[in-house]
Protein backbone atom coordinates (compact mmCIF):
# COMPACT_ATOMS: atom_id res chain seq x y z
CA UNK A 1 0.00 0.00 0.00
CA UNK A 2 2.93 2.23 -0.49
CA UNK A 3 3.65 4.59 -3.32
CA UNK A 4 6.96 2.80 -3.83
CA UNK A 5 8.61 2.97 -7.21
CA UNK A 6 7.76 -0.44 -8.65
CA UNK A 7 9.92 0.13 -11.67
CA UNK A 8 11.07 -2.15 -14.45
CA UNK A 9 14.63 -3.30 -13.73
CA UNK A 10 17.30 -1.20 -15.36
CA UNK A 11 18.56 -4.28 -17.18
CA UNK A 12 15.34 -4.77 -19.16
CA UNK A 13 13.25 -2.11 -20.82
CA UNK A 14 14.04 1.44 -21.79
CA UNK A 15 13.44 3.96 -20.39
CA UNK A 16 14.03 2.53 -16.86
CA UNK A 17 11.55 4.92 -15.24
CA UNK A 18 8.47 3.07 -16.52
CA UNK A 19 6.44 1.35 -13.85
CA UNK A 20 5.70 -2.34 -13.85
CA UNK A 21 2.04 -2.87 -14.72
CA UNK A 22 2.22 -6.39 -13.32
CA UNK A 23 3.13 -5.22 -9.80
CA UNK A 24 0.60 -2.40 -9.88
CA UNK A 25 -2.11 -4.81 -11.04
CA UNK A 26 -1.30 -7.23 -8.23
CA UNK A 27 -1.55 -4.39 -5.77
CA UNK A 28 -4.90 -3.49 -7.33
CA UNK A 29 -6.11 -7.06 -6.73
CA UNK A 30 -5.00 -6.74 -3.09
CA UNK A 31 -7.05 -3.53 -2.87
CA UNK A 32 -10.15 -5.43 -3.97
CA UNK A 33 -9.53 -7.95 -1.19
CA UNK A 34 -9.13 -5.12 1.30
CA UNK A 35 -12.39 -3.57 0.10
CA UNK A 36 -14.22 -6.87 0.59
CA UNK A 37 -12.98 -7.41 4.13
CA UNK A 38 -13.44 -3.84 5.31
CA UNK A 39 -16.91 -3.72 3.80
CA UNK A 40 -17.83 -6.84 5.76
CA UNK A 41 -16.53 -5.15 8.90
CA UNK A 42 -18.54 -1.98 8.20
CA UNK A 43 -21.72 -3.93 7.50
CA UNK A 44 -21.27 -5.92 10.70
CA UNK A 45 -20.41 -2.85 12.78
CA UNK A 46 -23.51 -1.02 11.58
CA UNK A 47 -25.68 -4.07 12.16
CA UNK A 48 -26.64 -4.84 8.55
CA UNK A 49 -25.20 -8.37 8.82
CA UNK A 50 -24.33 -10.64 11.73
CA UNK A 51 -21.74 -8.98 13.90
CA UNK A 52 -19.53 -12.05 14.06
CA UNK A 53 -18.93 -12.09 10.28
CA UNK A 54 -15.54 -10.29 10.15
CA UNK A 55 -14.23 -12.37 13.04
CA UNK A 56 -15.12 -15.81 11.73
CA UNK A 57 -12.14 -18.05 10.86
CA UNK A 58 -12.57 -17.87 7.09
CA UNK A 59 -12.77 -14.08 7.11
CA UNK A 60 -9.84 -13.83 9.51
CA UNK A 61 -7.68 -15.94 7.21
CA UNK A 62 -8.84 -13.87 4.24
CA UNK A 63 -7.83 -10.65 6.03
CA UNK A 64 -4.43 -12.14 6.84
CA UNK A 65 -3.91 -13.10 3.18
CA UNK A 66 -4.77 -9.59 2.02
CA UNK A 67 -2.44 -7.96 4.56
CA UNK A 68 0.32 -10.42 3.70
CA UNK A 69 -0.01 -9.65 -0.01
CA UNK A 70 0.37 -5.91 0.57
CA UNK A 71 3.44 -6.49 2.72
CA UNK A 72 5.02 -8.88 0.21
CA UNK A 73 4.44 -6.35 -2.58
CA UNK A 74 6.08 -3.68 -0.43
CA UNK A 75 9.14 -5.94 -0.16
CA UNK A 76 9.11 -6.53 -3.91
CA UNK A 77 8.92 -2.77 -4.46
CA UNK A 78 12.06 -2.26 -2.37
CA UNK A 79 13.93 -4.71 -4.57
CA UNK A 80 12.75 -3.12 -7.82
CA UNK A 81 13.65 0.39 -6.66
CA UNK A 82 17.08 -0.85 -5.59
CA UNK A 83 17.64 -2.64 -8.90
CA UNK A 84 17.00 0.61 -10.73
CA UNK A 85 19.65 2.33 -8.67
CA UNK A 86 19.33 3.83 -5.22
CA UNK A 87 17.92 7.34 -5.31
CA UNK A 88 18.24 8.63 -1.77
CA UNK A 89 16.00 11.64 -2.28
CA UNK A 90 13.20 9.55 -3.84
CA UNK A 91 13.57 6.92 -1.12
CA UNK A 92 13.33 9.49 1.67
CA UNK A 93 10.28 11.09 0.03
CA UNK A 94 8.51 7.73 -0.15
CA UNK A 95 9.48 6.88 3.43
CA UNK A 96 8.23 10.24 4.70
CA UNK A 97 4.97 9.79 2.79
CA UNK A 98 4.24 6.36 4.27
CA UNK A 99 5.36 7.36 7.78
CA UNK A 100 3.23 10.50 7.58
CA UNK A 101 0.21 8.48 6.45
CA UNK A 102 0.76 6.04 9.33
CA UNK A 103 0.88 8.94 11.78
CA UNK A 104 -2.32 10.36 10.30
CA UNK A 105 -4.09 7.01 10.77
CA UNK A 106 -3.03 6.97 14.43
CA UNK A 107 -4.27 10.51 15.03
CA UNK A 108 -7.62 9.98 13.30
CA UNK A 109 -8.22 6.66 15.06
CA UNK A 110 -7.44 8.27 18.42
CA UNK A 111 -10.31 10.70 17.98
CA UNK A 112 -12.67 8.31 16.17
CA UNK A 113 -12.13 5.13 18.23
CA UNK A 114 -9.80 5.94 21.16
CA UNK A 115 -10.32 2.55 22.80
CA UNK A 116 -9.26 0.74 19.61
CA UNK A 117 -6.85 3.27 18.12
CA UNK A 118 -4.17 2.21 15.65
CA UNK A 119 -0.77 2.37 17.32
CA UNK A 120 1.07 0.03 14.96
CA UNK A 121 -0.86 -0.95 11.86
CA UNK A 122 0.12 -2.05 8.39
CA UNK A 123 1.40 1.38 7.29
CA UNK A 124 3.59 1.62 10.40
CA UNK A 125 5.10 -1.76 9.60
CA UNK A 126 5.69 -0.90 5.94
CA UNK A 127 7.46 2.31 6.98
CA UNK A 128 9.63 0.45 9.48
CA UNK A 129 10.48 -2.37 7.07
CA UNK A 130 11.36 0.19 4.40
CA UNK A 131 14.35 0.83 6.66
CA UNK A 132 14.98 -2.57 8.25
CA UNK A 133 14.60 -4.33 4.92
CA UNK A 134 17.40 -2.43 3.18
CA UNK A 135 20.28 -4.71 4.31
CA UNK A 136 18.47 -7.74 2.89
CA UNK A 137 18.51 -6.23 -0.60
CA UNK A 138 22.23 -6.98 -0.90
CA UNK A 139 22.66 -9.99 1.38
CA UNK A 140 22.56 -13.54 -0.07
CA UNK A 141 18.95 -14.53 -0.69
CA UNK A 142 19.27 -17.48 1.65
CA UNK A 143 19.95 -15.07 4.54
CA UNK A 144 16.75 -13.13 3.84
CA UNK A 145 14.81 -16.40 3.52
CA UNK A 146 16.12 -17.69 6.84
CA UNK A 147 15.33 -14.35 8.48
CA UNK A 148 11.76 -14.58 7.18
CA UNK A 149 11.38 -18.05 8.70
CA UNK A 150 12.75 -16.90 12.07
CA UNK A 151 10.53 -13.81 12.14
CA UNK A 152 7.43 -15.88 11.34
CA UNK A 153 8.22 -18.64 13.83
CA UNK A 154 9.52 -16.64 16.80
CA UNK A 155 6.15 -15.47 18.21
CA UNK A 156 4.88 -19.05 18.01
CA UNK A 157 7.77 -20.29 20.14
CA UNK A 158 8.44 -17.36 22.44
CA UNK A 159 6.34 -14.77 24.21
CA UNK A 160 7.10 -13.06 27.49
CA UNK A 161 5.44 -10.70 29.96
CA UNK A 162 8.64 -8.64 29.62
CA UNK A 163 7.16 -7.37 26.34
CA UNK A 164 3.70 -6.61 27.76
CA UNK A 165 4.40 -2.90 28.23
CA UNK A 166 2.41 -0.85 25.66
CA UNK A 167 5.60 0.70 24.27
CA UNK A 168 6.83 -2.79 23.27
CA UNK A 169 3.57 -4.14 21.85
CA UNK A 170 4.67 -3.36 18.27
CA UNK A 171 7.25 -6.15 18.49
CA UNK A 172 4.49 -8.80 18.71
CA UNK A 173 6.17 -10.81 21.47
CA UNK A 174 3.89 -9.87 24.38
CA UNK A 175 1.49 -12.30 26.01
CA UNK A 176 -1.46 -10.07 25.09
CA UNK A 177 -2.31 -7.86 22.12
CA UNK A 178 -3.61 -4.29 22.25
CA UNK A 179 -7.25 -3.66 21.44
CA UNK A 180 -6.81 -2.08 18.02
CA UNK A 181 -8.72 -2.02 14.75
CA UNK A 182 -5.42 -2.52 12.90
CA UNK A 183 -2.53 -4.23 14.69
CA UNK A 184 0.28 -5.61 12.50
CA UNK A 185 3.34 -6.23 14.73
CA UNK A 186 6.90 -6.75 13.55
CA UNK A 187 6.81 -10.42 14.55
CA UNK A 188 5.49 -12.29 12.59
CA UNK A 189 4.33 -9.85 9.88
CA UNK A 190 7.75 -8.60 8.80
CA UNK A 191 8.23 -12.11 7.40
CA UNK A 192 5.85 -11.21 4.55
CA UNK A 193 8.01 -8.24 3.55
CA UNK A 194 11.14 -10.40 3.66
CA UNK A 195 9.37 -13.06 1.59
CA UNK A 196 8.54 -10.41 -1.00
CA UNK A 197 12.19 -9.38 -1.10
CA UNK A 198 13.32 -12.98 -1.56
CA UNK A 199 10.74 -13.71 -4.26
CA UNK A 200 11.43 -10.57 -6.32
CA UNK A 201 15.19 -11.04 -6.10
CA UNK A 202 14.77 -14.62 -7.32
CA UNK A 203 12.61 -13.45 -10.23
CA UNK A 204 15.07 -10.75 -11.24
CA UNK A 205 17.99 -13.15 -11.11
CA UNK A 206 16.28 -15.98 -13.00
CA UNK A 207 13.89 -14.11 -15.34
CA UNK A 208 15.21 -10.55 -15.63
CA UNK A 209 13.70 -10.06 -19.08
CA UNK A 210 10.60 -12.24 -18.72
CA UNK A 211 7.10 -11.59 -19.95
CA UNK A 212 6.13 -10.35 -16.49
CA UNK A 213 8.35 -7.29 -16.99
CA UNK A 214 6.87 -6.48 -20.40
CA UNK A 215 3.21 -7.12 -19.62
CA UNK A 216 0.93 -4.13 -20.13
CA UNK A 217 -2.64 -3.74 -18.98
CA UNK A 218 -4.94 -3.53 -21.99
CA UNK A 219 -8.46 -4.39 -20.89
CA UNK A 220 -10.62 -1.91 -19.01
CA UNK A 221 -10.60 -4.00 -15.82
CA UNK A 222 -6.83 -4.57 -15.78
CA UNK A 223 -6.17 -0.89 -16.51
CA UNK A 224 -8.42 -0.06 -13.57
CA UNK A 225 -6.42 -2.44 -11.37
CA UNK A 226 -3.17 -0.78 -12.42
CA UNK A 227 -4.67 2.68 -11.83
CA UNK A 228 -5.69 1.69 -8.32
CA UNK A 229 -2.37 -0.03 -7.60
CA UNK A 230 -0.48 3.15 -8.41
CA UNK A 231 -2.63 5.12 -5.97
CA UNK A 232 -3.01 2.46 -3.31
CA UNK A 233 -1.84 4.59 -0.39
CA UNK A 234 -4.37 7.34 -1.04
CA UNK A 235 -7.12 4.81 -1.68
CA UNK A 236 -6.28 3.11 1.61
CA UNK A 237 -6.62 6.40 3.46
CA UNK A 238 -9.99 7.44 2.02
CA UNK A 239 -11.87 4.21 1.30
CA UNK A 240 -13.36 3.67 4.76
CA UNK A 241 -14.95 7.13 5.09
CA UNK A 242 -16.37 6.64 1.58
CA UNK A 243 -17.77 3.20 2.45
CA UNK A 244 -19.41 4.45 5.64
CA UNK A 245 -20.89 7.49 3.90
CA UNK A 246 -22.34 5.27 1.17
CA UNK A 247 -23.82 2.83 3.68
CA UNK A 248 -25.45 5.57 5.72
CA UNK A 249 -26.71 7.16 2.51
CA UNK A 250 -28.13 3.84 1.32
CA UNK A 251 -29.92 3.37 4.61
CA UNK A 252 -31.47 6.83 4.35
CA UNK A 253 -32.56 6.40 0.72
CA UNK A 254 -34.02 2.91 1.10
CA UNK A 255 -35.45 3.42 4.55
CA UNK A 256 -33.64 0.29 5.75
CA UNK A 257 -32.32 0.66 9.25
CA UNK A 258 -29.52 -1.49 10.60
CA UNK A 259 -30.20 -3.70 13.55
CA UNK A 260 -29.32 -2.48 16.99
CA UNK A 261 -25.60 -2.88 17.50
CA UNK A 262 -24.61 -5.02 20.47
CA UNK A 263 -21.47 -3.17 21.51
CA UNK A 264 -20.70 -5.77 24.12
CA UNK A 265 -20.61 -8.47 21.45
CA UNK A 266 -18.47 -6.22 19.26
CA UNK A 267 -15.97 -5.91 22.09
CA UNK A 268 -15.91 -9.66 22.65
CA UNK A 269 -15.44 -10.36 18.93
CA UNK A 270 -12.61 -7.85 18.72
CA UNK A 271 -11.00 -9.21 21.89
CA UNK A 272 -11.13 -12.81 20.62
CA UNK A 273 -9.76 -11.74 17.24
CA UNK A 274 -6.79 -9.93 18.77
CA UNK A 275 -6.13 -12.82 21.14
CA UNK A 276 -6.17 -15.32 18.26
CA UNK A 277 -3.81 -13.10 16.25
CA UNK A 278 -1.36 -13.25 19.15
CA UNK A 279 -1.36 -17.05 19.06
CA UNK A 280 -4.04 -17.95 21.61
CA UNK A 281 -6.33 -20.91 21.10
CA UNK A 282 -10.08 -20.40 20.74
CA UNK A 283 -10.70 -21.76 24.25
CA UNK A 284 -8.02 -19.62 25.91
CA UNK A 285 -9.18 -16.50 24.07
CA UNK A 286 -12.82 -17.06 25.01
CA UNK A 287 -11.96 -17.49 28.69
CA UNK A 288 -9.54 -14.56 28.77
CA UNK A 289 -11.98 -12.18 27.07
CA UNK A 290 -14.89 -13.28 29.26
CA UNK A 291 -12.69 -12.78 32.32
CA UNK A 292 -11.75 -9.27 31.17
CA UNK A 293 -15.39 -8.38 30.54
CA UNK A 294 -16.45 -9.71 33.96
CA UNK A 295 -13.71 -7.73 35.69
CA UNK A 296 -14.67 -4.58 33.79
CA UNK A 297 -18.28 -5.00 34.90
CA UNK A 298 -17.20 -5.57 38.51
CA UNK A 299 -15.10 -2.39 38.37
CA UNK A 300 -17.98 -0.39 36.91
CA UNK A 301 -16.10 0.22 33.66
CA UNK A 302 -18.06 -1.98 31.25
CA UNK A 303 -20.29 0.73 29.77
CA UNK A 304 -17.37 3.08 29.32
CA UNK A 305 -15.30 0.28 27.76
CA UNK A 306 -17.78 -0.71 25.06
CA UNK A 307 -18.61 2.91 24.18
CA UNK A 308 -14.95 4.01 23.94
CA UNK A 309 -15.20 6.50 26.79
CA UNK A 310 -12.37 5.28 29.02
CA UNK A 311 -9.95 7.79 30.48
CA UNK A 312 -6.22 7.07 30.04
CA UNK A 313 -6.07 5.83 33.63
CA UNK A 314 -9.06 3.54 33.08
CA UNK A 315 -7.50 2.26 29.84
CA UNK A 316 -4.41 1.28 31.82
CA UNK A 317 -6.65 -0.41 34.40
CA UNK A 318 -8.42 -2.44 31.71
CA UNK A 319 -5.05 -3.44 30.25
CA UNK A 320 -3.95 -4.74 33.65
CA UNK A 321 -7.21 -6.70 33.93
CA UNK A 322 -6.63 -8.26 30.51
CA UNK A 323 -3.08 -9.30 31.38
CA UNK A 324 -4.27 -10.82 34.66
CA UNK A 325 -6.85 -12.87 32.76
CA UNK A 326 -4.25 -14.58 30.54
CA UNK A 327 -3.69 -18.16 31.80
CA UNK A 328 -0.38 -18.65 33.55
CA UNK A 329 0.77 -21.28 31.09
CA UNK A 330 0.58 -18.62 28.35
CA UNK A 331 2.58 -16.16 30.36
CA UNK A 332 5.60 -18.26 31.13
Amino acid sequence: MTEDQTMIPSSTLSPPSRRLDMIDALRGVALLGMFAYHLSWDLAYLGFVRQSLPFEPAMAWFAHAVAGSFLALAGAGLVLADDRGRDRAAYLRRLALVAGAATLVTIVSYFAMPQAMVTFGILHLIALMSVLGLPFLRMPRVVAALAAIVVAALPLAFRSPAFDHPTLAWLGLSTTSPNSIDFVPLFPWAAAVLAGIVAMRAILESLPDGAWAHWRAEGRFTRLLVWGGRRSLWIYLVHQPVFLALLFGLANVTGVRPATVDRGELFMNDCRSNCAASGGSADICQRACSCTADNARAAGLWDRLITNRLTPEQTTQIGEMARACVPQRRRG
Side-chain angles (χ1 to χ4, degrees), residues 233-251:
L233 177 59
W234 307 112
I235 292 173
Y236 173 82
L237 292 175
V238 305
H239 78 284
Q240 277 289 58
V242 171
F243 280 3
L244 291 171
L246 290 174
L247 288 175
F248 279 115
L250 179 63

Side-chain angles (χ1 to χ4, degrees), residues 74-204:
L78 285 175
V79 175
L80 292 168
D82 184 70
D83 184 78
R84 178 174 175 263
R86 291 189 178 180
D87 182 337
R88 178 171 296 183
Y91 165 78
L92 291 176
R93 284 196 301 270
R94 292 192 296 272
L95 179 60
L97 185 62
V98 178
T103 302
L104 178 63
V105 169
T106 295
I107 294 172
V108 171
S109 67
Y110 173 78
F111 289 101
M113 300 183 70
Q115 186 55 35
M117 66 178 290
V118 179
T119 55
F120 199 83
I122 193 166
L123 291 182
H124 301 74
L125 180 59
I126 289 176
L128 179 62
M129 287 305 296
S130 294
V131 177
L132 299 184
L134 292 180
F136 296 99
L137 301 179
R138 302 295 174 85
M139 292 181 182
R141 274 191 289 127
V142 66
V143 175
L146 289 174
I149 294 173
V150 171
V151 169
L154 184 59
L156 299 176
F158 172 78
R159 290 181 182 275
S160 171
F163 295 95
D164 283 353
H165 194 276
T167 59
L168 299 177
W170 62 275
L171 289 170
L173 298 176
S174 60
T175 59
T176 60
S177 295
N179 182 30
S180 173
I181 57 175
D182 182 23
F183 180 56
V184 187
L186 184 68
F187 296 94
W189 286 101
V193 180
L194 294 173
I197 291 175
V198 172
M200 184 50 66
R201 287 185 58 188
I203 291 173
L204 289 180

Side-chain angles (χ1 to χ4, degrees), residues 115 263 302-310:
Q115 186 55 35
R263 295 188 179 275
W302 177 245
D303 288 340
R304 298 186 68 86
L305 172 62
I306 63 176
T307 55
N308 298 322
R309 293 185 295 112
L310 291 175

